[in-house]
Amino acid sequence: MHQLLFDIPFQLETERLMLRAPRQSGDGSIVNEAIKDSYNELKAWLPFAQQLPSIEETEVNLRKAHINFLKRESFRFLIFNKVTNEFIGVTSFEGVNWNIPKCEIGYWVNTKFSRNGYMLEAVRELTKFGINHLKFKRIEIRCESTNLKSRSIPEKLGFELEGTLKNDDLSANGIKLTDTCIYAIV
């Protein structure tokens, strides 16, 4: 089946969370505010957070994510608390390869919502959705070997550590070589 024919909902729900695809417009300010709230933590691990983006830059990024969702090339979900409607973070299917089919999961959380199990809950739901609905045969989570918080997510969800690639990537700030852990569930 052609990837554009996959019926993919714009919203997923867990016990506490609502995962929603970026809208065609209007999500930039809430996501930008979370990036500002979490800047010091995000800067350590993510290249996009080396400089604070403007609201306009964040809005453009989210509109591109919306287009990629429609094209079935990647699937970004904004994470909200179902009761308070507070924006918590982002999780996504990236690097989708429909020929295998496989993908990689990425995520980041607003620092003020860390340590509540929200990201674990969101990534668990996304993993189940990928395996059961999209029929992915392989889902990877890649993270820097020293990012212990990020590594705890796939470890708690039963992903297998398939290996660590030495000197595989540059640090988020582009200054030094880093090692990448590859976790997968098949």
Side-chain angles (χ1 to χ4, degrees), residues 5-24:
L5 298 177
F6 277 100
D7 183 26
I8 300 172
F10 287 97
Q11 186 171 306
L12 304 172
E13 290 191 23
T14 70
E15 182 181 331
R16 302 181 297 166
L17 306 172
M18 188 252 305
L19 286 64
R20 171 180 63 72
R23 293 187 177 131
Q24 189 172 347

Side-chain angles (χ1 to χ4, degrees), residues 5-177:
L5 298 177
F6 277 100
D7 183 26
I8 300 172
F10 287 97
Q11 186 171 306
L12 304 172
E13 290 191 23
T14 70
E15 182 181 331
R16 302 181 297 166
L17 306 172
M18 188 252 305
L19 286 64
R20 171 180 63 72
R23 293 187 177 131
Q24 189 172 347
S25 66
D27 286 325
S29 61
I30 60 166
V31 174
N32 188 269
E33 188 65 32
I35 293 170
K36 287 179 185 174
D37 288 348
S38 309
Y39 180 66
N40 290 331
E41 187 167 294
L42 296 177
K43 185 177 181 179
W45 307 113
L46 299 172
F48 84 82
Q50 295 310 293
Q51 295 182 341
L52 280 173
S54 67
I55 293 174
E56 181 179 297
E57 289 168 326
T58 304
E59 183 67 33
V60 167
N61 179 277
L62 290 167
R63 289 183 186 201
K64 287 178 181 178
H66 175 78
I67 291 166
N68 288 337
F69 196 106
L70 295 175
K71 290 168 56 177
R72 306 301 193 240
E73 292 177 0
S74 64
F75 303 93
R76 187 177 308 175
F77 289 91
L78 307 182
I79 305 166
F80 295 89
N81 182 302
K82 279 173 42 174
V83 175
T84 65
N85 204 36
E86 291 174 294
F87 173 70
I88 292 171
V90 172
T91 188
S92 61
F93 288 132
E94 301 295 334
V96 175
N97 180 335
W98 291 106
N99 294 323
I100 301 297
K102 68 176 184 173
C103 71
E104 182 179 336
I105 292 179
Y107 45 86
W108 64 267
V109 66
N110 184 331
T111 303
K112 68 182 178 182
F113 296 109
S114 297
R115 302 214 176 274
N116 290 298
Y118 291 134
M119 194 53 65
L120 184 67
E121 188 174 327
V123 174
R124 178 183 292 118
E125 182 63 26
L126 203 61
T127 301
K128 287 190 323 190
F129 179 73
I131 291 169
N132 298 328
H133 186 79
L134 299 179
K135 307 299 182 197
F136 286 135
K137 302 300 181 202
R138 176 181 180 83
I139 298 176
E140 293 180 359
I141 294 178
R142 294 175 177 237
C143 52
E144 193 171 311
S145 63
T146 57
N147 189 342
L148 301 181
K149 286 183 183 178
S150 185
R151 289 182 65 179
S152 73
I153 301 289
E155 290 170 357
K156 289 176 181 174
L157 293 177
F159 281 65
E160 179 183 346
L161 175 61
E162 293 187 332
T164 302
L165 303 177
K166 303 291 184 185
N167 292 335
D168 175 60
D169 204 356
L170 287 173
S171 57
N173 62 10
I175 293 175
K176 64 178 182 167
L177 290 173

